[in-house]
Amino acid sequence: MKNKKLLYAASLACMLLMACSGKPVVESERNLKNVLGNHFLVGVAINHLQLQGQDSAALDIVKTHFNSIVPENCMKCMIIHPEENVYDFELSDRFVAFGEENGMFVVGHCLIWHSQLASWFCTDENGADVSPEVLKQRMKDHITTIVKRYKGRVHGWDVVNEAILEDGSYRNSKFYQILGEEFVPLAFQYAYEADPEAELYYNDYNMHFEGKRRAVIKLVEDLKARGIRIDAVGMQGHVGMEYPQISDFEASIEAFSKLNVKVMITEFDMSALPMVRYSANVTDTVSFEQSMNPYPNELPSRELEAWNKRMMEFMNLFVKHSRHISRVTFWGVTDGDSWKNDFPMRGRTDYPLLFDRNYEPKQFVKELLGE
Ligand code: 9MR
């Protein structure tokens, strides 16, 4: 309740600020980026359809409510760098241009990730693993080419994504197998050299697990001790109705806040469906079961109310820690866009985002806007 009041007070202060600055407060300015903008950037992931001009209604929402964007898929290795000497910048160019045209804080996602990695990246012509030297060179070429292309235009990069497991051990990815833990500092160093002005982030899901929390703290401390730039820890936040406990999530925000880096909530969505898996690792899938898809037509009002309430609890948590949290990004615009409809079980109907399938704001958004 106290936090809720805080949120309203903040939004009121924001309105007052605008009024005092001489800028008229018109109806169209009651949007998320104005209401939350004095706490943190309000971001959203942009998908292929939007970039290809096939979903202008979603783009209108993006322009109205958000001041930061991240590409949901188009900068992933498989898409942007499908073969060793082939880059495909078509969609990423459009993505960056859209951010620039709309004066947004543009985030690049993601430079080094075990998943959606083009098959050539870690193997030689016989399919065997490349040597550490070759992999370092490939990482350097990949990072340098992409980061330099958007130098000064992409403001922050998810440099390394999902390198650590819940128990705190390193994921046994090809990068880890060939280079050991060293692939992380190398990636950050290459990114820094390509654009010394860009912010650089480590990004992961399930950051509320104690083991992962500890390992990420160590990762950040080690980079800093070696004088390697890291600006933020990105907590993805693919959460559900039953997980995680907000107190566990908060413990990680607090722990990362003490590291002298920013904290960012980078991929927030909240599944309204029964929990199947808490992992956000894209290969952790299970086969479809009707009983796990209880709301194929609409989310019943009781469940919707519970979803709105829990979203507000998370938002209040972010506002409470906004001295350290510099950005909160949602992983898609409408429920229809969400990867959660197909993960971890393909073919479910989920309701994890701020706008429904008719592009209407959920009650959570209306409340934030004071409606
Ligand atoms: O939402 C993304 C989905 O459309 C893709 O199919 C999938 C694989 O590339 O990646 C999803 O986004 C992931 C993000 O890039 C990294 N963190 C976990 C996200 C959900 O899997």
Side-chain angles (χ1 to χ4, degrees):
M1 192 61 205
K2 197 171 148 220
N3 283 335
K4 203 163 177 179
K5 276 190 187 146
L6 201 139
L7 204 57
Y8 286 133
S11 81
L12 189 68
C14 174
M15 302 265 188
L16 285 173
L17 201 73
M18 285 190 298
C20 296
S21 71
K23 217 173 148 208
V25 180
V26 291
E27 188 62 21
S28 66
E29 287 181 329
R30 275 150 54 101
N31 53 47
L32 291 176
K33 65 187 172 195
N34 283 344
V35 168
L36 297 169
N38 56 343
H39 298 298
F40 29 66
L41 291 164
V42 191
V44 68
I46 304 283
N47 68 20
H48 273 48
L49 281 183
Q50 291 148 13
L51 292 173
Q52 286 160 343
Q54 292 169 44
D55 190 359
S56 57
L59 286 183
D60 287 344
I61 291 180
V62 174
K63 287 187 221 169
T64 303
H65 288 285
F66 299 92
N67 53 18
S68 175
I69 52 169
V70 62
E72 185 174 1
N73 286 307
C74 73
M75 282 182 167
K76 290 174 180 171
C77 179
M78 252 170 81
I79 295 164
I80 204 169
H81 194 179
E83 289 170 47
E84 184 160 13
N85 297 312
V86 178
Y87 284 88
D88 181 350
F89 291 118
E90 196 191 328
L91 290 181
S92 55
D93 283 355
R94 285 193 209 175
F95 163 77
V96 176
F98 176 82
E100 264 180 339
E101 281 155 21
N102 294 288
M104 294 169 163
F105 185 93
V106 179
V107 176
H109 171 87
C110 45
L111 295 170
I112 296 295
W113 189 30
H114 67 281
S115 189
Q116 314 309 110
L117 183 63
S119 56
W120 64 271
F121 208 98
C122 297
T123 50
D124 64 17
E125 59 285 2
N126 303 316
D129 286 357
V130 290
S131 68
E133 287 318 309
V134 169
L135 185 55
K136 278 188 212 171
Q137 191 57 49
R138 288 183 180 181
M139 281 174 55
K140 185 170 188 180
D141 291 344
H142 176 78
I143 292 173
T144 308
T145 306
I146 298 169
V147 174
K148 277 206 164 148
R149 183 178 184 90
Y150 300 117
K151 191 170 175 176
R153 302 172 66 206
V154 168
H155 306 106
W157 286 97
D158 288 335
V159 178
V160 175
N161 198 37
E162 302 170 7
I164 291 172
L165 299 177
E166 283 76 0
D167 67 0
S169 61
Y170 271 71
R171 181 187 297 280
N172 193 21
S173 68
K174 279 289 167 204
F175 294 111
Y176 182 75
Q177 287 170 19
I178 299 172
L179 289 169
E181 295 178 15
E182 196 58 17
F183 84 88
V184 175
L186 283 170
F188 276 86
Q189 187 59 25
Y190 298 149
Y192 172 74
E193 285 164 8
D195 184 357
E197 303 298 322
E199 291 189 341
L200 306 180
Y201 317 136
Y202 175 75
N203 190 49
D204 214 327
Y205 60 82
N206 275 348
M207 293 286 239
H208 57 280
F209 275 76
E210 203 189 326
K212 191 174 276 208
R213 181 191 304 147
R214 253 188 288 112
V216 172
I217 290 171
K218 183 168 181 311
L219 181 151
V220 173
E221 285 174 344
D222 288 352
L223 287 175
K224 283 182 164 280
R226 290 169 63 172
I228 295 174
R229 177 166 183 168
I230 175 163
D231 297 277
V233 171
M235 300 176 68
Q236 293 183 8
H238 297 292
V239 304
M241 295 304 295
E242 302 155 51
Y243 68 96
Q245 286 198 22
I246 293 192
S247 56
D248 289 338
F249 202 96
E250 181 168 30
S252 290
I253 294 177
E254 285 171 343
F256 299 144
S257 298
K258 292 187 186 128
L259 292 171
N260 205 16
V261 289
K262 296 174 186 176
V263 178
M264 295 174 175
I265 311 300
T266 54
E267 303 181 14
F268 206 75
D269 52 28
M270 183 186 294
S271 173
L273 299 184
M275 182 174 90
V276 179
R277 289 262 158 96
Y278 55 70
S279 165
N281 184 31
V282 283
T283 53
D284 287 346
T285 52
V286 291
S287 41
F288 183 80
E289 267 177 55
Q290 198 60 59
S291 65
M292 297 306 263
N293 186 34
Y295 319 120
N297 301 318
E298 66 173 344
L299 194 60
S301 54
R302 207 164 57 124
E303 280 71 16
L304 183 57
E305 210 176 292
W307 184 94
N308 282 305
K309 183 168 171 284
R310 187 162 153 86
M311 279 298 276
M312 193 56 88
E313 284 164 7
F314 268 103
M315 186 49 77
N316 283 330
L317 177 73
F318 303 152
V319 169
K320 177 178 168 193
H321 291 281
S322 59
R323 207 157 65 82
H324 298 286
I325 295 178
S326 59
R327 172 169 59 95
V328 175
T329 288
F330 296 90
W331 203 239
V333 181
T334 73
D335 286 340
D337 299 333
S338 175
W339 73 297
K340 291 300 294 178
N341 294 304
D342 286 313
F343 181 89
M345 194 178 269
R346 183 169 284 278
R348 295 203 295 178
T349 305
D350 206 343
Y351 304 85
L353 293 171
L354 304 191
F355 295 83
D356 68 19
R357 286 172 169 77
N358 297 317
Y359 301 87
E360 292 297 328
K362 305 234 179 112
Q363 186 56 32
F364 162 70
V365 175
K366 291 184 184 166
E367 256 186 62
L368 280 175
L369 301 180
E371 288 173 6

